[in-house]
Amino acid sequence: GTGKTRTLTCRIAHMIGRGVPPGQVLAVTFTNKAAREMVERVNEMLPRERRRRDRSEPEDPFDTRPTVCTFHSLCVRILRQHIERLGYKKNFVIYDEGDQVATMKKILSAISANGEKTDAHAVLSMVSKLKNAAPGAPVFGDESVLALAQHVRRRYESALRAANAVDFDDLILLALQLFREHPDALEACRRRWRYVMVDEYQDTNGSQFELVHALARESRNLCVVGDDDQSIYGWRGAEIANILDLEKHYPEVKGIKLEQNYRSTNT
């Protein structure tokens, strides 16, 4: 209730008002609902003539509006354009939870002894933790589930690859792989999004931090908002150090405290 998201949306409108091309602005958040609300707020702030395109200009939707989306939908945009360079087809499928569970159950039934039953959901959750953990960072949880997840992870990834499919974790991890292996693809994304903003930054995990850092490292134009007392995604790998240690990665950062709550009055 202190105006964190409003800070981002006002900054977007301010930059565009100062002449920053809307297509170079990227704002990332965690849920589709939050992204939709941000888009609505930005549209309300922008002058109507800036929202309507000049009919004489070539049709390029990317130049006329900022990109406001979730981490996952950002990576879908990047991968739809470049994923063939990683050996996938452009029409890759994104597995939902049901597809993932069905795939994991097949793998577990193939390796289980004497028809032993294993919780596919628990194994998938641990595989997700393993995927998203920063390199060398410890992963905590039930030791037997952790050992099983480490054992079947490669089989699971191979099964998805054979189906030209990815899961939600893969979206970010494959985007990072693309950036590491194909610097020209990263440079194209940096040229496209020169101004990077992140909402609820305290909830980013290692992979999300790496993605944001890759895009903003050269331009140094990064704006994040968050509350280090409000992290709610520790159970899925959120690393509070990302916001606490921001000055280590961006020594020139300017911190602004929002200390008045406008949503909850004293009464």
Side-chain angles (χ1 to χ4, degrees), residues 30-31 200-204 227-240:
F30 279 85
T31 66
E200 304 291 4
Y201 190 68
Q202 77 280 351
D203 289 327
T204 53
D227 181 351
D228 54 1
D229 287 330
Q230 202 177 307
S231 182
I232 61 171
Y233 288 128
W235 56 272
R236 73 173 189 196
E239 296 180 21
I240 195 70

Side-chain angles (χ1 to χ4, degrees), residues 148-186:
L148 184 56
Q150 289 169 329
H151 179 63
V152 301
R153 178 179 172 181
R154 285 196 181 281
R155 291 190 186 210
Y156 172 72
E157 291 171 351
S158 297
L160 264 64
R161 181 110 189 199
N164 193 40
V166 300
D167 64 18
F168 284 107
D169 294 321
D170 290 333
L171 292 172
I172 294 179
L173 297 175
L174 287 173
L176 290 174
Q177 182 184 341
L178 175 77
F179 288 169
R180 284 192 298 270
E181 297 177 5
H182 301 279
D184 57 322
L186 171 57

Side-chain angles (χ1 to χ4, degrees), residues 10-250:
C10 286
R11 187 173 189 263
I12 293 171
H14 176 72
M15 287 194 300
I16 294 172
R18 291 284 295 272
V20 170
Q24 292 185 1
V25 177
L26 169 65
V28 192
T29 187
F30 279 85
T31 66
N32 290 319
K33 181 174 182 283
R36 282 194 301 270
E37 287 178 357
M38 286 176 68
V39 169
E40 288 168 6
R41 290 193 198 188
V42 170
N43 283 342
E44 287 172 6
M45 291 180 199
L46 294 181
R48 194 168 296 278
E49 62 271 17
R50 285 193 177 274
R51 283 185 267 155
R52 294 189 54 169
R53 28 181 324 99
D54 179 345
R55 300 301 176 194
S56 65
E57 293 177 7
E59 185 65 34
D60 185 356
F62 296 129
D63 286 340
T64 61
R65 58 178 177 267
T67 301
V68 182
C69 60
T70 64
F71 278 99
H72 292 103
S73 59
L74 170 64
C75 292
V76 171
R77 293 174 191 225
I78 294 169
L79 293 174
R80 289 288 181 208
Q81 194 170 356
H82 299 288
I83 200 168
E84 288 175 309
R85 304 176 78 169
L86 298 178
Y88 290 81
K89 296 176 183 173
K90 272 193 177 180
N91 63 341
F92 64 88
V93 178
I94 302 171
Y95 271 12
D96 62 18
E97 186 180 2
D99 299 320
Q100 291 175 259
V101 170
T103 302
M104 183 58 76
K105 280 182 175 177
K106 280 185 187 176
I107 295 169
L108 294 174
S109 65
I111 66 169
S112 65
N114 305 319
E116 177 187 344
K117 293 271 186 180
T118 310
D119 185 350
H121 289 87
V123 178
L124 276 169
S125 177
M126 192 63 73
V127 168
S128 177
K129 281 187 179 181
L130 289 168
K131 283 184 176 186
N132 285 296
V139 174
F140 300 102
D142 184 291
E143 289 187 12
S144 61
V145 176
L146 176 59
L148 184 56
Q150 289 169 329
H151 179 63
V152 301
R153 178 179 172 181
R154 285 196 181 281
R155 291 190 186 210
Y156 172 72
E157 291 171 351
S158 297
L160 264 64
R161 181 110 189 199
N164 193 40
V166 300
D167 64 18
F168 284 107
D169 294 321
D170 290 333
L171 292 172
I172 294 179
L173 297 175
L174 287 173
L176 290 174
Q177 182 184 341
L178 175 77
F179 288 169
R180 284 192 298 270
E181 297 177 5
H182 301 279
D184 57 322
L186 171 57
E187 188 53 38
C189 291
R190 283 176 174 167
R191 284 197 305 270
R192 166 80 191 281
W193 295 301
R194 294 182 183 275
Y195 304 86
V196 182
M197 284 167 281
V198 188
D199 196 17
E200 304 291 4
Y201 190 68
Q202 77 280 351
D203 289 327
T204 53
N205 61 27
S207 303
Q208 290 158 342
F209 165 79
E210 199 179 334
L211 183 76
V212 169
H213 192 51
L215 291 172
R217 189 164 48 229
E218 294 296 321
S219 71
R220 314 299 288 177
N221 200 315
L222 173 67
C223 173
V224 308
V225 297
D227 181 351
D228 54 1
D229 287 330
Q230 202 177 307
S231 182
I232 61 171
Y233 288 128
W235 56 272
R236 73 173 189 196
E239 296 180 21
I240 195 70
N242 289 348
I243 194 167
L244 298 178
D245 296 343
L246 189 63
E247 290 180 3
K248 290 183 182 177
H249 304 282
Y250 297 88

